[in-house]
């Protein structure tokens, strides 16, 4: 059984890496063909695709009568997407963040997290509450695509008005500035390979779902042998397993230089997890999804706090720096350690919680406040310093 579990873990990891690579390639081609930026595709197409494992696991858990696994999967995945996925990707390569993410998409993620936390306080996500989450998601996707297309048209008109007339009429006005690629770029621009790109996305999603399933099954069998509860398994093993598609996609996107796609994938995936995975699963469940005791007043609140943590990080410098990524990873390690200590009722739980509550979290909050104030002062003084 142990050998089978290890084999499943390794096979799942290989499938996840391959699926992430195909998904990034296909999504990037679809972005160019549809006139959407990689950031928007990351917030919509890729985010929905990489949330497929969470949806499959949550629906299976709900139908099997394991609400703890379902809730832990969604909440744990959202925490892992910020702390683990963005943290790892930022350590590999600092992630640039365009202003629309700060002004529009991260606040939407924070609002969705806060809304879900409020809905969870009564101990259940009812059917009508799931419908509310789905409706909010539909409105968000519609609004994102509409605004993005309008911004794209405005940017093209601005570039056309600023371009030199002779250059605008010549080959250099093409969408690719490299003359060595002009011969290849022109037929792609005129006849985008939608079918091929769509096939890459479909195959990539299939590999991601299959890889996540293998990895989760293998990891869960190992975790159960240690006597962990469904909620803890969902918050740790399953959450990390179903977040590996986001991790693979974001890391590959960061390495390939598509860093907006890496950020958009993590932020958009969190929104989709709450809107589609949790909302749709609650709608399909006759009595909704029951919230395990303690999850509503700790794990959901922590999920919202992590979402709030991202806002000042991306606001200062419009980037997630390497040291901020390292901070995210340390926080995720501390969170995992807390869950394991709490599940085993270890004697170290009390001192560990005291140190985190009285020192680590307040110091982090003070640091973020200082960074935000310093960034605002720098922005206000920059125009005056210019001649």
């Amino acid at each position: 059984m142990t050998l089978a579990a290890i084999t499943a873990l390794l096979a799942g990891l290989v499938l996840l890496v391959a699926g992430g690579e195909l998904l990034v390639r296909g999504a990037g081609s679809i972005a160019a063909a549809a006139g959407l930026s990689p950031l928007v595709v990351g917030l919509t197409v890729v985010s929905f695709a990489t949330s497929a494992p969470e949806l499959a696991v949550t629906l299976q858990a709900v139908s099997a009568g394991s609400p703890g696994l379902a809730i832990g999967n969604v909440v744990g995945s959202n925490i892992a997407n910020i702390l683990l996925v963005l943290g790892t990707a930022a350590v590999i390569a600092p992630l640039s963040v365009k202003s629309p993410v700060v002004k529009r998409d991260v606040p939407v993620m924070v609002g969705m997290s806060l809304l879900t936390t409020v809905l969870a306080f009564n101990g259940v996500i009812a059917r009508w509450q799931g419908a509310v989450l789905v409706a909010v998601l539909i409105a968000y996707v519609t609004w994102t695509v509409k605004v993005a297309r309008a911004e794209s048209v405005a940017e093209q008109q601005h570039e056309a008005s600023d371009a030199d007339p002779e250059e605008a009429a010549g080959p250099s006005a093409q969408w690719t500035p490299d003359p060595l690629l002009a011969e290849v770029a022109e037929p792609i621009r005129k006849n985008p390979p939608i079918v091929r790109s769509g096939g890459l996305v479909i195959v990539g999603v299939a590999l991601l779902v299959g890889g996540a399933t293998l990895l989760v099954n293998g990891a869960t069998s190992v975790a159960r042998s240690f006597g962990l509860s469904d909620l803890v398994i969902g918050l740790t093993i399953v959450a990390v397993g179903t977040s590996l598609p986001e991790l693979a996609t974001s890391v590959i996107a960061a390495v390939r230089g598509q860093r907006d796609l890496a950020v958009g994938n993590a932020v958009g995936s969190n929104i989709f997890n709450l809107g589609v995975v949790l909302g749709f699963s609650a709608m399909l469940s006759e009595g909704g999804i029951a919230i395990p005791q303690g999850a509503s007043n700790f794990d959901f609140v922590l999920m919202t706090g992590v979402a709030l943590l991202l806002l000042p990080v991306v606001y200062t410098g419009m980037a997630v720096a390497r040291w901020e990524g390292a901070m995210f990873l340390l926080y995720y390690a501390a969170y995992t350690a807390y869950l394991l200590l709490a599940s085993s009722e270890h004697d170290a739980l009390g001192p560990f919680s005291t140190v985190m509550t009285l020192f680590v979290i307040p110091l982090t909050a003070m640091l973020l406040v200082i960074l935000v104030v310093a960034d605002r002062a720098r922005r206000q003084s920059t125009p005056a310093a210019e001649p």
Side-chain angles (χ1 to χ4, degrees), residues 74 99 136 316:
V74 174
S99 57
V136 172
T316 54

Side-chain angles (χ1 to χ4, degrees), residues 67-292:
L69 188 62
I71 294 298
N73 176 39
V74 174
V75 176
S77 293
N78 275 25
I79 295 173
N81 283 343
I82 301 300
L83 298 183
L84 178 62
V85 173
L86 282 186
T88 303
V91 168
I92 294 174
L95 304 177
S96 60
V97 181
K98 291 185 177 179
S99 57
V101 177
V102 180
K103 296 179 180 178
R104 184 173 64 217
D105 301 304
V106 174
V108 169
M109 180 187 67
V110 173
M112 285 281 287
S113 301
L114 183 59
L115 172 62
T116 308
T117 301
V118 172
L119 295 178
F121 273 142
N122 64 354
V124 63
I125 301 293
R127 273 183 164 180
W128 70 269
Q129 294 172 327
V132 170
L133 294 174
V134 172
V136 172
L137 176 68
I138 293 174
Y140 159 75
V141 173
T142 303
W143 176 51
T144 297
V145 174
K146 182 178 179 180
V147 171
R149 294 300 295 269
E151 290 175 349
S152 178
V153 172
E155 183 178 354
Q156 291 175 2
Q157 293 176 347
H158 177 71
E159 292 176 354
S161 63
D162 291 343
D164 183 79
E166 295 182 0
E167 293 182 355
S172 60
Q174 299 295 334
W175 61 276
T176 173
D178 191 347
L180 297 177
L181 299 179
E183 184 177 352
V184 178
E186 183 63 17
I188 291 178
R189 185 182 68 84
K190 291 183 177 180
N191 186 22
I194 296 295
V195 175
R196 186 179 68 86
S197 301
L200 289 178
V201 171
I202 293 173
V203 174
V205 171
L207 292 178
L208 288 173
V209 173
T213 301
L214 286 175
L215 189 141
V216 168
N217 289 340
T220 301
S221 63
V222 173
R224 289 191 184 278
S225 65
F226 289 96
L228 299 177
S229 66
D230 283 348
L231 179 60
V232 173
I233 293 174
L235 289 168
T236 55
I237 303 298
V238 176
V240 172
T242 55
S243 289
L244 281 177
E246 286 87 347
L247 179 60
T249 303
S250 293
V251 169
I252 291 171
V255 171
R256 292 170 61 89
Q258 296 176 324
R259 298 174 185 177
D260 283 335
L261 182 61
V263 178
N265 174 41
V267 174
S269 181
N270 277 13
I271 297 173
F272 273 82
N273 282 345
L274 297 176
V276 172
V277 177
L278 187 58
F280 188 66
S281 299
M283 289 178 62
L284 294 181
S285 181
E286 183 176 354
I289 302 179
I291 308 297

Side-chain angles (χ1 to χ4, degrees), residues 270-328:
N270 277 13
I271 297 173
F272 273 82
N273 282 345
L274 297 176
V276 172
V277 177
L278 187 58
F280 188 66
S281 299
M283 289 178 62
L284 294 181
S285 181
E286 183 176 354
I289 302 179
I291 308 297
Q293 186 177 7
S296 59
N297 55 16
F298 177 75
D299 297 301
F300 276 93
V301 174
L302 182 63
M303 177 189 70
T304 303
V306 169
L308 284 168
L309 175 65
L310 183 62
L311 191 57
V313 169
V314 298
Y315 176 81
T316 54
M318 296 296 180
V320 182
R322 277 194 170 97
W323 73 267
E324 292 169 329
M327 179 183 69
F328 282 1

